[in-house]
Amino acid sequence: MKQHFVTRRFHAKHAAMIFLMACACLMCLLTICPKPADAASSKNVLRTSLSKRNHGAGWTQDGETVSYILPSGKKAVGFRKIGRYWYHFDKSGTLSTGWFTVKSRRYFAKKTGTVGKTYGALRTGFRKVDGVYYFFNTTGKKGVVGSQRTGWIIAGRHRYYYHPDGTKASGLTAIGRKLFYFSETGALKYRGRLVTGWKTIDGKKYYFRPTGKTGTIGAAYRSQKVKIKKKYYRFDAEGALITNVAKSASANTAPVASVVSNEVFIETIGALAHADMQQSGVLASVTTAQAILESASGTSVLAIYAGNLFGMKATLSGNNWTSAWSGATYKKQTLEYMNNSFVSVYADFRKYESWAQSVADHSAYLTGAQKSKGVLRYTGLAGEKDYKKAASIIKAGGYATDPGYVAKLCSLIERYNLTRFD
C-alpha cells in the first residue's frame, strides 16, 4: 500500500517535470520564430514586389520630349496602341507629333492635349489640320489606321479628291484625262467638295455630270454635244459651253470661227484641203481626217479662238519652214504626258486668221520640216496617192505618239468617204 502510494507520487512528479519542459520548449520556439505576417502585410509585400518589377514603366516626359517606358524598361518605338489611342514613337523612342511620314504614308498626331491621353494621338476620320480638312483611316492594321487617305474620298454627302502628295483638290482640276471642279468657297469644312451640274467659271459655263460612279460623276462634258433637260448643248475640248459669240476686241478671246455642224465642218475643210493639195501635194482626205480628229470637228478651243485645227504650237522641235503664219500666238492650258501621268501646263500655240491659213501652214510643216540637216522628216508624203501610206508616213515621222493614230485616221476617211476630196 505504501509502495503503491510512492509509485503514484513518482509518476505525478515525473509528469509535472515533462509539462514544465514542454512549456520551456514552447517559450523557446516563440522567442526564436517571429509572428506570421497578417493578410495586410502579405498584400504590401506583393505590391512592393510588383512596383520593383515595373519600376519607371508608363509615360515619361523630359522637357518637350515624351516617351513611353515598357514593363521591360525599354522605350516604345514604332506604332503602338496605348489605351484608346494609337501613337507613333521614332527610333529613339520620342513620341511623334504634327505631320510625319512613315513608308510613304502621311500621318498627323495631335500637338496639344494631355500626355498619356490625346497628346500625340493619331488623328482618324475627317479632321481639320492647319485650316484644311483631311481624311485619315479609321480602321486597318498597325500603320494603316491613322494614315492619310488620298484619291477620292466620300464623307457624308460630299466627295473630295486628295492628290498623291496629300494636298486637297480645289477649283478646276484635271484628274487623268477628265476635268472636275471642286468648290473654292463656302464653309471651311466643305471647301474642296466636288461640284456637279452647271457652273460658271471665269465667265465660261461648264456642265459637270450629276450622276455616275466615283471618278465619273462630276466630270465635265468635253468635245461633245449633250442633251440636258430636253435641250442640246455643245462643249469644246476644254469643257466650256460653245456659243456663237460675236467677235470682241480681245485678241486672245475673240473667236476666229463659229461652231458649225459636223457635216458642214467636213465639207468646209474638205474643200480647203483639196485646194491646198494642188500646191502641197498632201492628200486632202488625210488633211481633213486630221482636222476632224485633232479639233473635234472644229469645236476645240484652238479651232474656235485661234483658228488652229491641228494643235500646232508656236515652236515645233526647232523647225522653221516657209509659212503664211503671221507669228501671232494663243496661250492655253493643255494636258502633257510627263512622268507616266498627264499634267496641266500652259503653252503658246499658233493663232491663224482663218481655218484656210491653218490648213496651209500644216501642210507646209509636213512637207518642209526636217529631221536633220537636208533630211525631211516626212519624206515621201508630198505626192503620195494612197491615204493609208500617207497616214503611215506621218506617224513614222513622229507627228503622233498614239499607236492607234494611223488606224483612227483611216477609219475617219472611210466613215465619211473623205477620198472624194482627193
Side-chain angles (χ1 to χ4, degrees), residues 107-188:
Y107 305 80
F108 185 84
K110 283 199 67 177
K111 297 186 288 186
T112 59
T114 304
V115 173
K117 292 185 179 179
T118 58
Y119 180 76
L122 299 185
R123 301 302 270 157
T124 59
F126 202 49
R127 300 287 184 174
K128 183 172 70 172
V129 178
D130 300 329
V132 179
Y133 277 86
Y134 299 89
F135 189 86
F136 302 92
N137 284 310
T138 57
T139 59
K141 62 182 181 180
K142 181 171 66 175
V144 174
V145 61
S147 60
Q148 187 199 346
R149 279 178 55 187
T150 56
W152 288 102
I153 301 295
I154 300 177
R157 296 181 296 107
H158 302 293
R159 296 170 188 264
Y160 304 83
Y161 184 84
Y162 292 88
H163 298 290
D165 64 357
T167 57
K168 194 177 190 180
S170 179
L172 274 176
T173 303
I175 301 174
R177 289 180 175 273
K178 297 176 182 177
L179 184 69
F180 301 85
Y181 181 76
F182 300 88
S183 65
E184 301 173 275
T185 59
L188 182 63

Side-chain angles (χ1 to χ4, degrees), residues 195-354:
V195 173
T196 60
W198 287 105
K199 180 69 178 178
T200 300
I201 305 167
D202 296 331
K204 297 179 181 179
K205 293 192 71 174
Y206 298 79
Y207 188 79
F208 300 96
R209 291 174 174 83
T211 59
K213 62 182 181 180
T214 299
T216 298
I217 183 174
Y221 287 109
R222 303 166 73 184
S223 300
Q224 61 189 119
K225 185 177 180 180
V226 183
K227 186 178 183 181
I228 303 172
K229 294 184 178 180
K230 299 181 180 181
K231 188 175 180 180
Y232 284 94
Y233 300 87
R234 288 184 71 90
F235 298 89
D236 63 28
E238 301 301 309
L241 177 67
I242 297 172
T243 57
N244 293 327
V245 184
K247 291 185 178 181
S248 66
S250 173
N252 204 46
T253 59
V256 175
S258 297
V259 177
V260 295
S261 66
N262 190 56
E263 293 75 14
V264 172
F265 178 79
I266 291 174
E267 294 302 321
T268 301
I269 302 305
L272 293 174
H274 177 77
D276 172 80
M277 184 178 64
Q278 313 308 312
Q279 302 295 324
S280 67
V282 179
L283 278 176
S285 58
V286 175
T287 298
T288 305
Q290 283 189 286
I292 294 171
L293 181 62
E294 297 180 33
S295 74
S297 294
T299 65
S300 70
V301 169
L302 284 175
I304 297 170
Y305 293 98
N308 192 328
L309 297 172
F310 306 95
M312 299 278 283
K313 289 186 176 179
T315 57
L316 291 168
S317 305
N319 268 285
N320 292 305
W321 58 92
T322 303
S323 171
W325 174 53
S326 65
T329 60
Y330 181 91
K331 186 182 290 292
K332 77 175 280 290
Q333 201 170 18
T334 184
L335 293 176
E336 297 284 355
Y337 193 72
M338 301 169 61
N339 299 323
N340 298 320
S341 64
F342 285 91
V343 295
S344 182
V345 299
Y346 279 93
D348 289 321
F349 292 84
R350 298 189 172 208
K351 185 174 183 179
Y352 303 102
E353 296 176 5
S354 65

